[in-house]
Amino acid sequence: MARVTPPPETSAVWNHDGETMAVWPGRNHPLGATWSRESTNFAVYAPEARAMWVCLFDEDGVETRHRLTEQALGVWHGAVPGVARGARYGYRADGPWDPEAGLRFNPAKLLLDPYGRAVSGDLVVDKAIFGYVKDDPATRSDLDSAPYIPRSVVVHDDFQWGPDTSPHRRWRDTVIYEMHVKGMTALHDRVPEELRGTYAGLAAPAVTAYLKDLGVTAVELLPVHQFFSEPALAERGLVNYWGYNSLCYFAPHNAYSAAGDRGQQVTEFKQMVKDFHLAGLEVILDVVYNHTAEAGPRGPTLSFRGLDDRGYYQRVVPPATKPGQAPEPVRYWDVTGCGNTVDATHTQSLRMILDSLRYWVTEMHVDGFRFDLMSALTRTDQVVDMGSHLLTAIGQDPVLRHVKLIAEPWDASMDGYRVGEFPPPWVEWNDQFRDTVRDFWRGHSRGVRTVATRLAGSSDLYADDGRSPYASVNFITAHDGFTLRDLVSYNDKHNEENGEDNRDGTDNNRSWNCGVEGETDDPEIIALRRRQAANLMATLCFSSGVPMLTAGDERGRTQGGNNNAYGQDNETSWIDWRPDDAWLDVYEITKTALRLRREHPALRQRHWFEGRPTIKGGIKDLVWVHPSGHEMTVDDWNDDSIRTIGMFLNGAPLRSPGPHGEQVRDRSFMIWLNSGVDDVELVLPANQWVHHGEVVLSTNTDVAVGTPVVAGGTMALQARSVLVLRQT
């Protein structure tokens, strides 16, 4: 091997062979760095490497290399005595250089530990971080990357969990709040300034109390695995704010730690989870196992690429060539839109994903996961497979099969869209709910047929394979796209700040600006926008399935029309907690809707509605009502002009039994939705079961909460409004 001469910033301690030798044999498991008082065992998977070094860095950044001489089952391993907790390290691997064959070994490149429990420092973009010579990808670069690469950290904390217990809420009782660790508190005046934007700040009493008061039961955190900004993004002066560019699947992102990045982030994350559990809130992680921050073949060499490029990443194998024809190059297979796709069929990649998931459940006590671009991970021979290695392994795993598992049921390819197809126990983000409800309230739906299906749990997607309505995670907005306020304030995206000439982000927003593009002082338009936002929130909260709110939507957070703010780590993305511009009326509607849902099992049932009585001689469990008071007919369902629908939910009794098999009785509800431009006179159906009621939620400015109603009577339903009536 040619000796790699380190630059002055990371001068190593050398013996006459260019390496130190104080390494014991150690063991090949567990992978990563395992600390003990006697020694720290290092184990890293790199089956085709010819040589491996673990490189330790002292407080001055001086590098000491220790050669690992033992290899078993593709794992290089060795134990180094006297390594302190919090020590920083990386790997260097040597071996063949044949990029087209997936062999990219380069000892000049410092590599992060795929199993590292923490990362210190950040990535600095420089030509040295690339494994090849610029403009000549076939030639290996000898520039040392160590000055620009963050370090893995030896972690061994003594955190005391005590009697920590997960709330273990049933899916039908769950309300998810999708939020960003930093964006939630970066501007929060009731969180201590030194804790804003951190794990510690997120678990501050002001935050947990707010979430509980709103009615949330689970937080879904945008990626917290250690991630790095794409070089191209950094060159535009931006950062990857959302975090969908993970690299270290065992390490909490260090920039979110108030305590430090030498392992303190692990302890701080654990304390955050413990505090959430004490507040009765579950913690769900948005995880990005489908691709890594190393991007395409022209991306940097940071970890996986330098250890086992063709094992970790999927490739397109070119067809056989005819005699005399030049062979096509082997290329990365990309169905993530990020340059690479992790090969979840490869034994080690699959093991790493499962080990990571179990680690976050058993060691970090998280309650579930939302899998980004899950279809990319289900592929067998590059075809989406609902019996794939990963789905099968998770389904039988005694730890993982009992946590909350949410699939984003698509990837960046045409054949990856698989909404409604994931097997139990998976639930799914239901974008068809999102699109249908947006279209209904902006006046673009064709009647109310599909709207009714979505309100009742999307049985067309989930009932055929035995799943329940809660298999549908319903949402109006998410981190990707318009905020709720922008959804009712903009017809078009305004992404100029992203530096891509407004080409990025979707054009399929299904939004309506209520007459003026962007912010306005017109009081009528402002009132209409707030009512539309409240209508959307109420529809979400009263639909069968699991509601997911996006942080800040309930108080009118705006991104100024930016529907792709992934690089905006600033006030564009952060929640503004000042009361002067908050849509507090939308907050109150949301809070009321979630309270009613929580208090009444009739509004969160686990069984499908059957459209027939739950007991002999009773009323149907669900009745769809025309505004004239009669049950919807076939002709009504086929009338594309209808914009008003009533949803009667029978509470006496419910189809689902109680915990001891007893009948459960609740009050009955009538939910009216009018997305039309005209007021409607409602006729409340006369019947022998429900005679009197009251208004318990209203976006109708002329009908107050508490207004009594009588079966057979009439009442006005304002254009673009919601009324919820409860039996008295």
Side-chain angles (χ1 to χ4, degrees), residues 557-725:
R557 185 177 77 86
T558 177
Q559 293 178 169
N562 192 327
N563 73 355
N564 190 36
Y566 74 103
Q568 300 298 325
D569 186 7
N570 51 50
E571 294 186 11
T572 297
S573 299
W574 304 338
I575 296 178
D576 185 352
W577 291 95
R578 295 173 300 178
D580 53 316
D581 195 40
W583 285 10
L584 297 181
D585 48 347
V586 178
Y587 172 85
E588 291 298 333
I589 287 288
T590 305
K591 179 180 174 180
T592 298
L594 291 178
R595 176 181 56 78
L596 290 168
R597 181 186 179 95
R598 180 173 64 254
E599 293 176 351
H600 292 281
L603 298 175
R604 46 182 173 82
Q605 300 189 41
R606 70 181 179 92
H607 286 302
W608 294 104
F609 296 111
E610 298 181 12
R612 61 185 181 87
T614 56
I615 56 174
K616 185 177 180 179
I619 195 171
K620 295 178 180 180
D621 56 357
L622 171 65
V623 181
W624 297 105
V625 183
H626 189 276
S628 63
H630 65 262
E631 186 172 353
M632 292 282 287
T633 65
V634 172
D635 288 341
D636 293 332
W637 287 121
N638 290 321
D639 185 349
D640 290 348
S641 68
I642 292 181
R643 296 289 181 268
T644 306
I645 185 74
M647 182 181 187
F648 175 81
L649 302 172
N650 178 27
L654 303 182
R655 196 169 297 284
S656 300
H660 299 104
E662 74 276 16
Q663 280 191 347
V664 176
R665 292 181 174 272
D666 192 12
R667 302 199 200 179
S668 297
F669 284 81
M670 174 71 82
I671 301 169
W672 287 102
L673 311 176
N674 178 18
S675 68
V677 298
D678 298 316
D679 295 355
V680 175
E681 184 173 357
L682 301 176
V683 176
L684 305 180
N687 63 90
Q688 59 180 306
W689 295 279
V690 179
H691 302 291
H692 298 87
E694 63 177 341
V695 175
V696 290
L697 182 142
S698 172
T699 67
N700 188 334
T701 56
D702 298 326
V703 179
V705 170
T707 300
V709 294
V710 178
T714 63
M715 64 186 307
L717 180 61
Q718 187 180 18
R720 301 191 177 101
S721 66
V722 172
L723 274 180
V724 180
L725 314 179

Side-chain angles (χ1 to χ4, degrees), residues 141-158:
S141 166
D142 289 331
L143 295 174
D144 190 359
S145 68
Y148 314 102
I149 300 292
R151 323 293 194 215
S152 297
V153 178
V154 176
V155 174
H156 183 86
D157 75 342
D158 299 314

Side-chain angles (χ1 to χ4, degrees), residues 169-183:
R169 293 192 188 274
R170 297 172 296 187
W171 269 121
R172 66 179 180 270
D173 300 331
T174 298
V175 178
I176 298 173
Y177 193 79
E178 187 202 41
M179 66 180 176
H180 189 280
V181 172
K182 182 175 182 180

Side-chain angles (χ1 to χ4, degrees), residues 70-367:
E70 302 295 320
Q71 189 199 49
L73 303 178
V75 177
W76 293 86
H77 55 92
V80 180
V83 177
R85 291 188 290 185
R88 297 171 297 166
Y89 71 99
Y91 295 110
R92 294 182 187 269
D94 198 10
W97 173 262
D98 186 355
E100 287 193 7
L103 301 170
R104 296 174 178 269
F105 295 102
N106 188 340
K109 309 306 168 185
L110 185 72
L111 306 174
L112 285 160
D113 187 349
Y115 276 69
R117 270 30 176 193
V119 173
S120 177
D122 197 5
L123 179 67
V124 177
V125 177
D126 185 87
K127 61 183 178 181
I129 68 175
F130 298 90
Y132 58 88
V133 174
K134 186 178 181 181
D135 301 326
D136 186 9
T139 301
R140 192 167 79 172
S141 166
D142 289 331
L143 295 174
D144 190 359
S145 68
Y148 314 102
I149 300 292
R151 323 293 194 215
S152 297
V153 178
V154 176
V155 174
H156 183 86
D157 75 342
D158 299 314
F159 186 79
Q160 300 299 311
W161 281 104
D164 178 67
T165 303
S166 168
H168 288 302
R169 293 192 188 274
R170 297 172 296 187
W171 269 121
R172 66 179 180 270
D173 300 331
T174 298
V175 178
I176 298 173
Y177 193 79
E178 187 202 41
M179 66 180 176
H180 189 280
V181 172
K182 182 175 182 180
M184 186 70 180
T185 63
L187 299 175
H188 205 306
D189 59 341
R190 294 177 59 197
V191 172
E193 187 172 359
E194 67 276 11
L195 301 183
R196 294 174 191 170
T198 69
Y199 303 120
L202 198 61
V207 177
T208 55
Y210 175 86
L211 296 173
K212 291 184 66 177
D213 183 63
L214 179 61
V216 168
T217 70
V219 297
E220 181 178 305
L221 305 182
L222 267 64
V224 298
H225 290 163
Q226 184 71 43
F227 63 85
F228 301 103
S229 296
E230 300 85 339
L233 194 61
E235 289 171 358
R236 297 204 305 270
L238 300 174
V239 299
N240 190 313
Y241 170 70
W242 288 348
Y244 291 90
N245 210 39
S246 303
L247 189 69
C248 304
Y249 294 128
F250 296 79
H253 188 61
N254 57 21
Y256 299 154
S257 173
D261 69 357
R262 301 286 288 275
Q264 297 95 330
Q265 62 264 56
V266 177
T267 303
E268 187 173 329
F269 186 93
K270 290 178 178 179
Q271 186 63 54
M272 177 197 72
V273 173
K274 184 176 181 179
D275 290 341
F276 273 124
H277 286 172
L278 286 171
L281 299 166
E282 292 181 298
V283 178
I284 299 170
L285 302 187
D286 195 332
V287 290
V288 190
Y289 294 112
N290 60 81
H291 73 277
T292 78
E294 290 184 311
R298 296 291 186 95
T301 295
L302 306 175
S303 181
F304 304 99
R305 176 168 288 140
L307 296 169
D308 186 20
D309 187 56
R310 65 180 174 189
Y312 283 112
Y313 298 127
Q314 292 211 38
R315 283 173 167 70
V316 176
V317 179
T321 58
K322 298 178 181 179
Q325 182 180 355
E328 295 181 25
V330 177
R331 55 186 175 85
Y332 275 25
W333 188 64
D334 178 16
V335 290
T336 66
C338 300
N340 65 57
T341 302
V342 171
D343 187 357
T345 67
H346 185 268
T347 300
Q348 177 54 33
S349 299
L350 177 63
R351 175 186 174 185
M352 177 188 65
I353 294 170
L354 294 170
D355 285 347
S356 170
L357 292 169
R358 282 189 290 263
Y359 172 78
W360 287 96
V361 173
T362 60
E363 297 296 325
M364 308 296 262
H365 286 206
V366 304
D367 305 288

Side-chain angles (χ1 to χ4, degrees), residues 374-428:
M374 186 60 188
S375 293
L377 291 169
T378 65
R379 294 175 179 267
T380 302
D381 295 327
Q382 301 178 348
V383 176
V384 175
D385 176 12
M386 292 303 155
S388 65
H389 298 0
L390 181 60
L391 289 177
T392 301
I394 291 175
Q396 61 79 44
D397 189 284
V399 173
L400 300 178
R401 67 189 181 207
H402 297 299
V403 303
K404 286 184 163 65
L405 299 169
I406 307 171
E408 183 182 36
W410 53 79
D411 55 26
S413 69
M414 295 296 292
D415 66 322
Y417 185 81
R418 299 301 172 116
V419 173
E421 297 184 23
F422 278 77
W426 291 84
V427 305
E428 302 173 7

